Amino acid sequence: MFCFPFFPEKLLVLTVATQETDGYRRFMQSADYFNYTVKVLGMGEEWRGGDVGRSIGGGQKVRLLKEAMEGLRDQEDLVVLSVDSYDLIFAGGPEEILRKFQEANHKVLFAAEGLVWPDKRLQDKYPSVRSGKRFLNSGGIIGYAPYVTKIVEQWNLHENDDDQLFYTKIYLDPQQRESLNMTLDHKSQIFQNLNGAIDEVLLKFGTERVRVRNTVYDTLPVVVHGNANTKMYLNYLGNYIPNAWNYERGCGVCDHNMVDLSQLEEYPTVMVGVFIEQPTPFLSQFFQRLATLDYPKHKLNEVYHERHIQKFWQENKDVFNSFKVVGPEENLSQGEARNMGMGLCRKDPGCDYYLSMDADVMLTNRQTLKILIEQNRCVILLLRTVGGYINAEGYINAEGYITDEGYITAADWRGVWNIPYMAHIYLIKGEVLRNELKERKHFVLEKLDPDMALCRHARELGMFMYITNRHEFGRLISTANFNTSHYNSDLWQIFENPMDWKEKYIHPNYTRIFTENYLEEPCPDVFWFPVFTERACDELVEEMEHYGSWSGGNHEDKRITGGYETVPTDDIHMKQIGYDKEWLHFIREGYAVMNFVVKYTPGRQAYLRPHHDSSTFTINVALNSKGTDFQGGGCRFHRYNCSVDSPRKGWSFMHPGRLTHLHEGLPTTNGTRYIAVSFIDP
């Protein structure tokens, strides 16, 4: 028996790779981390080994290994490790592999798995095992150089013949199995094949790095192989092992190969494709944020797929380097429109990046585009919604759909994550579109939606898709319940998209009334303070004018119980336009009156109660020790004439004839429209 000290230089890793794919770069990154000596075979050579992802093949790998072993056959103390590279990661170092190989006490050790491939008829010819995986897998071979040479020198088949079948027949020959002293790594001491064994594998987090643990055999494999249909799960494991991410250090590879834009002579040119494929709220905010991205506008080319962007186009067509609008008259499906947008960048050799954005993406970080380019990957953002992370990740079944089984989430751990699915917003290098994604119909595939189709094509090509949550980028707009029947439909989004509703309609200085006493008191117990933005005031007025059915200011009023109004006004109830629930939520949830009353009327109790037929409501404020209540209707919209100093009509949101009232529309000395609350103590 050969027995040598565990010198890492006595281990040579041989792998076949004809091109530098994402999987190959990940393999080399893990090899470099452990200081393996790696020799790559076949780089730049045309692949003629068949489509091993779908059928038999791989003979070209055996031929390349045979040629490499010709110069190593006499090195008796050299241990050769032959492994795949596109779907394999090292989880341990060369010393550990050498130790475990010598403990196996064989000259050659093959990886093992629980399934027979490619010829199931050979199953009964395999030696029986009391415990462990029974069948050979050719993705991992370790042995002394003279013995590995004796195996591969028997190869005399075609490039597209099956490599695993070749090794299997040699192993199943009892005479050769004995003379070459071969065995299988039955209990995954060195090789962990994931095919048929995903349920056996767990991550084991350590202080310095992360391992994979086989829970069935209680082993820590050194080589993790995502063979067959387990490549997505390998990608998940690769987000952690060996040093990609752990609890103590966080992300260990996020800064690898980054680009420093400040060191470039000029910024890359980016083609931006914007897709508005359904009614979407807060479009004006979307365009505003897009136009204010911190990136040179002459380096941005824009293409839009929608019919409702004429105003933005007129205002910005001269700002960007180029601007193209594609409307419904083009009669393009979603997939065809996205193929067209991506194709514009593919055809332009000056297009360095393609940024695809859906209109439901609300970017809040002006540095987004710079951050993505500097990350130097094909990246998708992590955008939060109330329900969690919905624009990426997940487990993809055989049909290409997301399922709940095996769901992968990056949670709140900061990093750059390899994911199987992306949507809504992503950045792709132009050179990738002109090479790996050179086909023109990636968004159209069977019954899959466009994003699913693109991701399926990318996975089949071995491309990695990444998501980064190293920074806060923004969020996704909910479009599920967007009703476009209103004149200003965004007003109704207070429940579905509260953050965007607040940013559009609540005055930016509103919170200062609680932190800095930011208000005016023109006379005792009369307060002016900012609540609404100019946009909110305009849209509320427009909504009422559009509805147009004013009450007329008569005592007779069929809208209320009894049909008689004691103090008539010319008004519209919020319930008439279907805005009563939204308005009450606005009052109750801290945007306006209730919080103000609590802060500035200490000792006075404030609460809401139904008024008349529940179509209007009352805010009650107890003003003195006698408990006298003074009321103001909280769900009416009144029209009245302002003073000569007012440039426009005034509008009251609460009954102006009552002692306690809330109104908007009267400009203060600085011209800002405020909501005013007056408390008059009798």
Side-chain angles (χ1 to χ4, degrees):
M1 137 179 202
F2 292 102
C3 186
F4 302 103
F6 308 138
F7 295 137
E9 61 269 20
K10 293 299 182 181
L11 177 66
L12 175 63
V13 178
L14 297 178
T15 190
V16 173
T18 56
Q19 57 183 330
E20 293 190 12
T21 66
D22 288 332
Y24 168 79
R25 285 186 282 269
R26 178 182 59 189
F27 165 80
M28 292 302 298
Q29 185 173 290
S30 68
D32 291 342
Y33 177 75
F34 291 109
N35 294 316
Y36 280 97
T37 300
V38 180
K39 182 176 181 180
V40 181
L41 311 178
M43 183 60 70
E45 185 177 302
E46 179 186 355
W47 176 253
R48 299 183 296 274
D51 188 355
V52 293
R54 291 187 171 92
S55 62
I56 62 172
Q60 186 174 353
K61 294 190 293 183
V62 186
R63 191 261 300 170
L64 289 168
L65 181 59
K66 176 182 178 180
E67 294 174 356
M69 294 304 301
E70 289 177 357
L72 304 174
R73 63 184 309 145
D74 296 328
Q75 298 186 37
E76 295 186 351
D77 60 345
L78 178 67
V79 176
V80 173
L81 174 65
S82 174
V83 292
D84 292 344
S85 62
Y86 294 160
D87 55 2
L88 188 140
I89 306 173
F90 285 112
E95 296 90 345
E96 182 180 353
I97 281 190
L98 289 172
R99 174 177 57 80
K100 290 182 174 180
F101 174 59
Q102 288 198 4
E103 290 174 352
N105 197 22
H106 286 77
K107 304 299 189 299
V108 179
L109 186 68
F110 286 93
E113 60 181 339
L115 303 172
V116 181
W117 175 264
D119 189 348
K120 294 183 179 180
R121 295 172 299 177
L122 299 177
Q123 176 174 339
D124 294 337
K125 295 185 178 182
Y126 272 90
S128 299
V129 295
R130 288 181 296 178
S131 177
K133 305 298 183 184
R134 184 182 174 191
F135 308 111
L136 180 146
N137 178 275
S138 61
I141 308 169
I142 186 170
Y144 294 106
Y147 289 85
V148 174
T149 302
K150 291 178 182 179
I151 294 175
V152 297
E153 67 183 4
Q154 300 179 49
W155 175 261
N156 60 357
L157 303 174
H158 298 98
E159 302 277 79
N160 60 352
D161 283 327
D162 194 75
D163 61 331
Q164 186 153 305
L165 183 60
F166 165 74
Y167 290 119
T168 297
K169 289 182 176 180
I170 293 176
Y171 175 74
L172 293 181
D173 182 341
Q175 183 176 354
Q176 290 207 67
R177 187 166 64 245
E178 181 178 355
S179 64
L180 295 175
N181 196 4
M182 296 182 292
T183 190
L184 305 185
D185 184 17
H186 297 291
K187 297 186 177 180
S188 302
Q189 295 285 350
I190 296 177
F191 303 107
Q192 176 63 66
N193 290 299
L194 296 176
N195 190 26
I198 287 179
D199 294 339
E200 300 176 3
V201 172
L202 293 176
L203 289 169
K204 183 179 186 298
F205 288 87
T207 303
E208 295 296 326
R209 55 190 173 94
V210 182
R211 298 293 300 260
V212 165
R213 177 173 173 262
N214 187 301
T215 59
V216 174
Y217 309 118
D218 195 23
T219 56
L220 296 175
V222 185
V223 175
V224 185
H225 183 204
N227 56 318
N229 296 319
T230 63
K231 290 176 175 56
M232 280 189 290
Y233 192 70
L234 178 71
N235 292 344
Y236 160 67
L237 297 176
N239 284 325
Y240 304 94
I241 60 172
N243 66 322
W245 194 96
N246 65 20
Y247 292 106
E248 284 73 19
R249 299 176 180 270
C251 185
V253 297
C254 289
D255 293 331
H256 287 192
N257 301 318
M258 289 191 66
V259 172
D260 186 353
L261 286 177
S262 66
Q263 300 300 312
L264 301 181
E265 293 184 3
E266 60 178 352
Y267 277 35
T269 299
V270 182
M271 175 79 71
V272 183
V274 175
F275 299 91
I276 312 172
E277 297 168 339
Q278 59 188 339
T280 305
F282 303 108
L283 274 179
S284 59
Q285 280 67 40
F286 169 83
F287 288 126
Q288 181 182 8
R289 287 193 165 102
L290 179 60
T292 56
L293 281 176
D294 185 13
Y295 201 85
K297 297 302 181 290
H298 69 281
K299 288 294 183 180
L300 293 178
N301 302 313
E302 310 258 340
V303 54
Y304 292 89
H305 172 226
E306 223 287 316
R307 63 177 182 271
H308 299 122
I309 61 170
Q310 293 303 315
K311 181 179 179 181
F312 179 77
W313 178 71
Q314 291 294 337
E315 294 175 351
N316 294 275
K317 61 182 179 180
D318 297 326
V319 175
F320 300 97
N321 185 39
S322 66
F323 201 105
K324 180 179 177 64
V325 179
V326 180
E329 66 277 359
E330 301 284 347
N331 197 28
L332 297 176
S333 67
Q334 291 186 22
E336 291 169 339
R338 292 177 184 271
N339 280 330
M340 187 203 71
M342 186 176 285
L344 291 175
C345 179
R346 183 184 293 113
K347 295 175 183 178
D348 182 1
C351 179
D352 300 306
Y353 289 92
Y354 176 68
L355 177 66
S356 176
M357 293 181 63
D358 291 354
D360 57 359
V361 174
M362 196 62 71
L363 292 179
T364 58
N365 189 335
R366 295 182 64 242
Q367 307 299 317
T368 293
L369 190 50
K370 290 182 179 179
I371 292 171
L372 289 182
I373 292 174
E374 289 186 328
Q375 196 64 65
N376 199 22
R377 291 176 173 88
C378 180
V379 182
I380 180 172
L381 308 188
L382 187 62
L383 302 173
R384 289 179 185 264
T385 65
V386 175
Y389 305 85
I390 67 169
N391 64 313
E393 308 177 50
Y395 185 84
I396 312 297
N397 63 19
E399 289 72 37
Y401 291 98
I402 293 180
T403 67
D404 292 332
E405 180 183 1
Y407 196 81
I408 304 168
T409 178
D412 286 323
W413 302 341
R414 300 293 179 178
V416 179
W417 312 91
N418 188 335
I419 55 173
Y421 171 71
M422 62 183 185
H424 298 284
I425 177 168
Y426 42 87
L427 182 76
I428 301 179
K429 292 181 178 180
E431 63 184 36
V432 172
L433 297 180
R434 290 183 283 273
N435 291 283
E436 290 91 338
L437 292 176
K438 60 185 177 182
E439 298 297 329
R440 299 186 178 186
K441 296 184 178 181
H442 289 293
F443 288 98
V444 179
L445 181 65
E446 300 171 357
K447 297 181 180 180
L448 298 180
D449 66 38
D451 288 320
M452 281 287 193
L454 171 66
C455 296
R456 185 171 183 178
H457 279 128
R459 292 193 305 271
E460 290 176 350
L461 292 170
M463 290 181 56
F464 290 171
M465 296 167 283
Y466 292 95
I467 187 171
T468 173
N469 63 343
R470 301 182 72 187
H471 307 267
E472 293 293 334
F473 295 107
R475 56 186 174 270
L476 293 179
I477 294 291
S478 173
T479 61
N481 298 310
F482 186 46
N483 185 345
T484 59
S485 63
H486 309 292
Y487 191 79
N488 291 299
S489 298
D490 287 356
L491 285 169
W492 274 259
Q493 289 293 300
I494 191 171
F495 296 112
E496 282 76 15
N497 295 292
M499 294 182 67
D500 300 278
W501 191 94
K502 180 179 179 180
E503 289 184 5
K504 182 175 182 179
Y505 295 127
I506 298 301
H507 197 285
N509 288 332
Y510 167 67
T511 57
R512 294 175 64 187
I513 69 176
F514 303 104
T515 60
E516 305 174 27
N517 294 327
Y518 188 80
L519 53 84
E520 297 180 42
E521 189 174 3
C523 59
D525 283 334
V526 175
F527 303 93
W528 282 345
F529 58 90
V531 175
F532 284 129
T533 61
E534 290 285 329
R535 187 68 175 269
C537 298
D538 290 339
E539 291 192 9
L540 281 168
V541 171
E542 291 168 357
E543 198 68 42
M544 294 303 174
E545 292 282 22
H546 178 71
Y547 182 74
S549 298
W550 298 95
S551 65
N554 301 316
H555 286 288
E556 294 183 3
D557 194 338
K558 296 180 180 180
R559 299 171 302 172
I560 62 178
T561 303
Y564 184 83
E565 173 60 75
T566 306
V567 184
T569 56
D570 192 16
D571 61 32
I572 294 173
H573 288 184
M574 294 295 188
K575 188 174 184 179
Q576 290 178 260
I577 65 168
Y579 201 65
D580 48 333
K581 293 179 181 179
E582 288 77 9
W583 182 253
L584 285 173
H585 183 74
F586 161 75
I587 296 292
R588 287 169 169 163
E589 297 301 318
Y591 291 122
V593 179
M594 300 306 289
N595 280 4
F596 178 86
V597 170
V598 171
K599 180 174 177 63
Y600 288 102
T601 59
R604 300 169 180 174
Q605 296 178 347
Y607 53 93
L608 289 171
R609 72 181 183 187
H611 182 62
H612 295 304
D613 61 350
S614 298
S615 65
T616 64
F617 283 75
T618 292
I619 292 180
N620 289 343
V621 182
L623 297 177
N624 54 32
S625 59
K626 297 179 182 180
T628 305
D629 292 346
F630 297 88
Q631 302 177 352
C635 272
R636 296 183 182 186
F637 200 98
H638 304 278
R639 178 169 58 178
Y640 64 92
N641 292 323
C642 293
S643 65
V644 293
D645 296 329
S646 176
R648 53 172 287 177
K649 288 181 179 180
W651 303 90
S652 174
F653 295 138
M654 302 184 77
H655 200 302
R658 304 271 168 90
L659 292 178
T660 301
H661 61 277
L662 170 71
H663 64 259
E664 181 279 326
L666 297 178
T668 61
T669 54
N670 62 7
T672 302
R673 286 182 296 174
Y674 280 72
I675 278 186
V677 179
S678 59
F679 302 101
I680 303 177
D681 195 329

